Amino acid sequence: MTKDKFYEMIRNRIVILDGATGTELQKLGMPQGVSPEAWVLEHPETITAIQRAYAEAGADIVYACTFGANRWKLEEFGLAEKVLEMNKKLVQLSRNAVQGKALVAGNLSPTGQFIKPFGDKHFEDAVEVYKEQVKGLLEGGVDLFVIETMIDIQEARAALLAVKESCDLPVMVSLTFNEDQKTLTGTDPVAAVVTLQSLGADVVGCNCSTGPEDMLKVIDQMKPVAMVPLMAKPNAGLPVVIEGKLSYNMKEEEFAGFIEQFAARGINIMGGCCGTTPEYIALLKKNSITITPKLWRDQSSSCITSARRAVFMGEGKPVVIVGERINPTGKKKLQAELKEGNLSEVRRFALEQQQQGAAILDVNVGMPGIDEKHMMTTVVAMLSQFSPLPLCIDSANPEVIEAALRIYPGRALVNSISGEISKLKNLLPVAAKYGAMCIILPLDDHQVPQQAHERIQIVEQVANQAREYGYATEDLVVDGLVMTVSADQKAAAETLKVVEWCRGQGYNTIMGLSNISFGLPEREWLNAAFFAMAVGRGLSMAIANPASQSIMAFKMASDVLMARDVNSQGYISYFGSKKQTKESLGDIIPKTALEQIYECVLRGNQEAIISAVKQGLEEKIEPLCIVNEGLIPAINAVGELFDRKEYFLPQLIMSAEAMKTGFEYLEPALHDQEGSSIQKTKIIIATVKGDIHDIGKNIVG
């Protein structure tokens, strides 16, 4: 099915998906502990009966029974070498079952393994595992793809890239959200939609985990930013245990009655997950017939995301500060650490800039004597876990930017694309493939234009090229190209003209503030005054050091005065935080070895914890004291942050790894400690193989 035909179908009516497959198979005799896919191939009449019933009930799309038919999942049953064969046959069974009454979607679901940092699997390996499954599904003749029940945005990205790099069929992506409206790894609905639609998903939504009522809350968050149709596949309410078996307590009529609320919220596609039978789908279809679906928005959001946070920019939004500190230029300590592969200084800059008010982190690791591509991907991977802030990928090398965008679990900002032919040819298609927002730098192969009208001409040329790759005006950010007034006193005025023109055309704007004052004394005042003037002309973003009190004060005040800060909440929060004591979270200044150990675990700083523990031992601190007053209080604090939803799984794992590293270094000293009563004790800790709780088991271990 072509994407045009797929969208035409969705525009005309609410599209109905099938219901639960697993529970229906169990009713027909599928035992626990087997590969559902293998069992279905041995008992083809079961899936034929189930899917025929769904098609006759009115399902427009039926999912092929390939939920776990990927190599990593099938390895558990000794079937890894049959991926292509099984996927092909399972699709053919579905096509035979529906007899042309419904489309057949190839189903890609969690692999049962965890991609780094949650497990030991590399991102690119996951892409290849999904590509292998996609090949089998294509050979079977699927009409489209669905990626469902995803708990990790990075694994969803791997599956989506596998489909996009294999074919042009439509692809729907559905994540599973907990009661707090976040995935297990901390992604909220807004970040999920922006990330996935930017990467090329044709439909985004949610399934499983909750009943219709709680799922409506997720859809409410998705709809304002969705540029693609939304889908929902809720369970039949919450499960209850009756006579030792799971059962779902929501009846067919109540479940199907929710379709009017979902449609009113903007849903275009709906089906059922756990506990929903063909009877549920039949009533869903019946109730959908008189509903006219809402169309999805056609205007892009000026928004970038990390895996856990979205940042919006533009008219009516607060000015966004992009922290400039993660850049080795002029920073000898950072240069030395990067050459050693030590990221402690990067962590420090990231944390400090977040606390000081930066909303985005600019990441540049380019310098002589370093493998920039390897270091950029290493830093991006670490920051994706460590910091909730979205990233601006800053490099002159298109290969470096592509490597970073491929593994980045969000929608990044690329710094930058100029009018240079090589940039337009090599970087623009890469940025478009991964859905990144782009900064336009108004210079080309011939000049660094001094006049505003010359810069504007280059902006228009680059923007026209970008539109050929699907970019909208809202996806582009124009750099005003700040030149120093010490060389040309009219330089500031020319930059401000560019900013003002961009505002009128609907472009977001950005500038590096510090260039304006180069070569002059008391630079901070020039920077701050220029910043205030630019904000008055409509500046959207500024690359700056958020430690500058004058810059941040002007930013907060201007947001209030220009009605960009609702109820002055940002202003109050920023200046109120200045009065917090040093005991507040994030304001701890490590002095003693124990404080440093505590901070390393709290921040997941695996690189620095050994030196902190070593310092503690050199200061004659008893090993048990290091454990009881440093490591354990820190990991307890991490647990409390996790409970309060201030930390999520990535930070939890990083802190656990830091504690493990520190404890392993300390262990010999613990055994040697005079009078120690420590004895080795065998402890067995386990969970069901392949279960999601394996993550928790490993943290506890």
Side-chain angles (χ1 to χ4, degrees):
M1 165 169 271
T2 65
K3 293 186 178 183
D4 287 343
K5 288 184 177 179
F6 180 65
Y7 281 128
E8 183 180 351
M9 177 177 71
I10 298 171
R11 286 190 185 96
N12 293 330
R13 56 191 168 87
I14 300 292
V15 170
I16 302 299
L17 303 172
D18 62 9
T21 297
T23 50
E24 294 301 286
L25 287 171
Q26 289 171 5
K27 291 178 185 178
L28 295 178
M30 185 181 74
Q32 297 286 341
V34 301
S35 162
E37 294 76 21
W39 190 84
V40 161
L41 289 173
E42 292 171 359
H43 304 83
E45 70 282 356
T46 58
I47 196 66
T48 298
I50 292 168
Q51 295 190 327
R52 186 161 292 166
Y54 280 128
E56 290 175 353
D60 298 297
I61 300 174
V62 167
Y63 291 7
C65 186
T66 56
F67 186 96
N70 60 75
R71 173 172 291 271
W72 288 343
K73 198 73 174 177
L74 291 176
E75 276 178 347
E76 300 173 20
F77 306 98
L79 299 170
E81 301 309 315
K82 295 188 176 182
V83 173
L84 294 177
E85 174 190 344
M86 291 178 67
N87 279 277
K88 181 178 179 179
K89 288 182 177 178
L90 288 164
V91 172
Q92 290 171 343
L93 280 176
S94 295
R95 297 194 71 83
N96 179 62
V98 301
Q99 295 289 301
K101 294 180 179 178
L103 300 174
V104 175
N107 190 339
L108 304 175
S109 299
T111 60
Q113 301 293 323
F114 296 101
I115 300 173
K116 290 179 178 290
F118 311 119
D120 58 359
K121 300 297 185 182
H122 292 280
F123 177 77
E124 211 58 50
D125 293 336
V127 174
E128 292 304 314
V129 163
Y130 282 121
K131 278 186 176 179
E132 181 183 32
Q133 188 180 4
V134 168
K135 182 179 179 182
L137 293 168
L138 288 170
E139 289 179 3
V142 294
D143 298 297
L144 70 160
F145 286 87
V146 61
I147 299 164
E148 67 154 334
T149 322
M150 287 292 179
I151 58 174
D152 176 19
I153 191 71
Q154 192 70 316
E155 190 172 31
R157 289 183 71 256
L160 180 55
L161 281 171
V163 176
K164 298 285 292 180
E165 293 176 352
S166 300
C167 68
D168 293 323
L169 292 180
V171 54
M172 308 186 293
V173 186
S174 176
L175 288 85
T176 293
F177 295 89
N178 298 326
E179 292 179 358
D180 61 356
Q181 286 98 56
K182 291 184 173 62
T183 67
L184 180 69
T185 53
T187 300
D188 64 36
V190 173
V193 170
V194 172
T195 297
L196 294 169
Q197 69 185 13
S198 299
L199 193 58
D202 299 294
V203 176
V204 179
C206 43
N207 75 289
C208 204
S209 186
T210 64
E213 192 167 359
D214 285 335
M215 197 166 283
L216 283 168
K217 300 173 185 176
V218 175
I219 298 302
D220 284 340
Q221 294 182 57
M222 288 183 167
K223 187 59 180 177
V225 296
M227 292 179 59
V228 295
L230 293 178
M231 63 177 287
K233 221 171 186 264
N235 294 339
L238 296 176
V240 294
V241 179
I242 301 176
E243 296 181 356
K245 294 183 179 180
L246 277 181
S247 179
Y248 289 84
N249 56 12
M250 183 175 285
K251 299 300 181 182
E252 296 93 326
E253 294 81 2
E254 183 182 1
F255 179 88
F258 274 96
I259 193 169
E260 292 186 5
Q261 294 184 56
F262 275 102
R265 280 359 199 275
I267 275 292
N268 303 96
I269 304 173
M270 187 171 177
C273 207
C274 300
T276 57
T277 66
E279 289 73 26
Y280 286 75
I281 302 307
L283 278 175
L284 206 61
K285 181 72 172 183
K286 179 182 177 182
N287 291 352
S288 73
I289 291 174
T290 58
I291 297 175
T292 301
K294 287 186 176 181
L295 295 183
W296 46 98
R297 55 183 283 161
D298 57 4
Q299 183 177 357
S300 179
S301 296
S302 296
C303 174
I304 68 170
T305 76
S306 66
R308 305 189 297 281
R309 182 177 297 181
V311 172
F312 292 86
M313 59 212 71
E315 192 71 26
K317 299 292 190 299
V319 177
V320 174
I321 299 298
V322 181
E324 67 181 5
R325 299 287 290 157
I326 304 176
N327 187 323
T329 303
K331 302 182 183 73
K332 292 183 179 180
K333 184 177 180 180
L334 179 58
Q335 291 174 7
E337 285 194 358
L338 290 177
K339 287 181 179 179
E340 295 170 359
N342 186 340
L343 304 184
S344 294
E345 195 74 350
V346 174
R347 291 174 189 269
R348 183 174 72 84
F349 284 141
L351 179 61
E352 286 180 353
Q353 291 182 109
Q354 178 186 341
Q355 293 169 345
Q356 291 159 351
I360 297 170
L361 298 176
D362 187 81
V363 181
N364 185 319
V365 295
M367 65 178 187
I370 195 173
D371 182 343
E372 185 185 359
K373 182 177 177 181
H374 171 74
M375 184 50 62
M376 177 63 87
T377 54
T378 301
V379 170
V380 166
M382 184 276 288
L383 289 175
S384 297
Q385 296 174 255
F386 178 72
S387 174
L389 302 187
L391 301 184
C392 176
I393 309 299
D394 187 355
S395 174
N397 188 335
E399 289 185 8
V400 172
I401 290 178
E402 179 169 19
L405 292 179
R406 190 166 182 85
I407 66 162
Y408 181 62
R411 188 192 195 198
L413 177 64
V414 168
N415 189 8
S416 55
I417 296 176
S418 66
E420 298 163 284
I421 293 175
S422 62
K423 287 286 185 74
L424 292 173
K425 180 181 178 181
N426 298 321
L427 186 51
L428 190 53
V430 166
K433 175 180 178 179
Y434 296 100
M437 285 189 68
C438 295
I439 294 175
I440 297 178
L441 187 64
L443 53 82
D444 58 23
D445 293 306
H446 307 293
Q447 61 174 332
V448 178
Q450 303 297 310
Q451 302 296 313
H453 70 89
E454 297 171 319
R455 299 176 193 177
I456 290 169
Q457 185 177 16
I458 295 174
V459 169
E460 291 179 316
Q461 291 171 353
V462 176
N464 287 335
Q465 290 271 351
R467 289 188 181 97
E468 294 182 9
Y469 288 93
Y471 277 101
T473 299
E474 295 82 9
D475 300 319
L476 303 172
V477 182
V478 176
D479 189 323
L481 195 58
V482 179
M483 312 292 280
T484 178
V485 292
S486 63
D488 178 6
Q489 203 160 359
K490 296 181 180 179
E494 294 302 311
T495 299
L496 293 174
K497 289 177 186 177
V498 175
V499 172
E500 196 162 19
W501 177 85
C502 287
R503 181 181 189 176
Q505 300 297 313
Y507 291 104
N508 290 297
T509 48
I510 193 169
M511 59 175 61
L513 294 178
S514 59
N515 288 353
I516 198 71
S517 61
F518 185 78
L520 294 170
E522 299 294 336
R523 297 179 61 186
E524 184 172 357
W525 300 112
L526 286 167
N527 296 344
F530 181 57
F531 175 57
M533 295 168 70
V535 170
R537 301 298 203 285
L539 183 71
S540 312
M541 311 168 72
I543 301 175
N545 181 357
S548 168
Q549 294 186 6
S550 58
I551 292 293
M552 294 306 297
F554 271 119
K555 175 243 177 324
M556 295 298 170
S558 65
D559 286 343
V560 172
L561 297 173
M562 299 183 73
R564 293 175 163 186
D565 183 2
V566 179
N567 296 325
S568 305
Q569 291 177 348
Y571 184 91
I572 293 168
S573 175
Y574 177 79
F575 286 104
S577 68
K578 296 295 182 184
K579 299 178 181 179
Q580 293 177 0
T581 64
K582 76 170 187 176
E583 286 77 20
S584 299
L585 174 61
D587 293 331
I588 297 172
I589 304 173
K591 295 180 180 178
T592 69
L594 283 176
E595 287 177 334
Q596 291 183 49
I597 291 166
Y598 182 96
E599 183 75 357
C600 285
V601 174
L602 190 69
R603 302 301 177 199
N605 192 343
Q606 195 173 354
E607 295 96 339
I609 194 164
I610 289 179
S611 62
V613 171
K614 185 178 180 181
Q615 180 181 331
L617 294 174
E618 290 173 352
E619 293 177 2
K620 306 302 181 184
I621 300 175
E622 295 288 345
L624 272 176
C625 180
I626 291 176
V627 172
N628 293 328
E629 298 183 24
L631 296 173
I632 290 177
I635 204 68
N636 286 341
V638 169
E640 292 170 3
L641 290 167
F642 184 76
D643 287 341
R644 298 202 302 264
K645 307 299 181 185
E646 294 179 37
Y647 268 23
F648 295 94
L649 195 57
Q651 296 104 313
L652 195 66
I653 289 176
M654 292 179 75
S655 292
E657 289 295 331
M659 181 173 180
K660 179 182 176 182
T661 299
F663 195 87
E664 286 176 348
Y665 182 82
L666 188 61
E667 192 170 11
L670 284 168
H671 289 297
D672 293 341
Q673 184 174 344
E674 185 178 355
S676 173
S677 60
I678 292 177
Q679 296 178 349
K680 284 189 175 181
T681 303
K682 285 188 177 180
I683 297 176
I684 297 174
I685 178 169
T687 187
V688 176
K689 184 177 180 181
D691 187 79
I692 188 61
H693 298 97
D694 187 59
I695 294 176
K697 179 205 69 168
N698 293 339
I699 292 173
V700 172

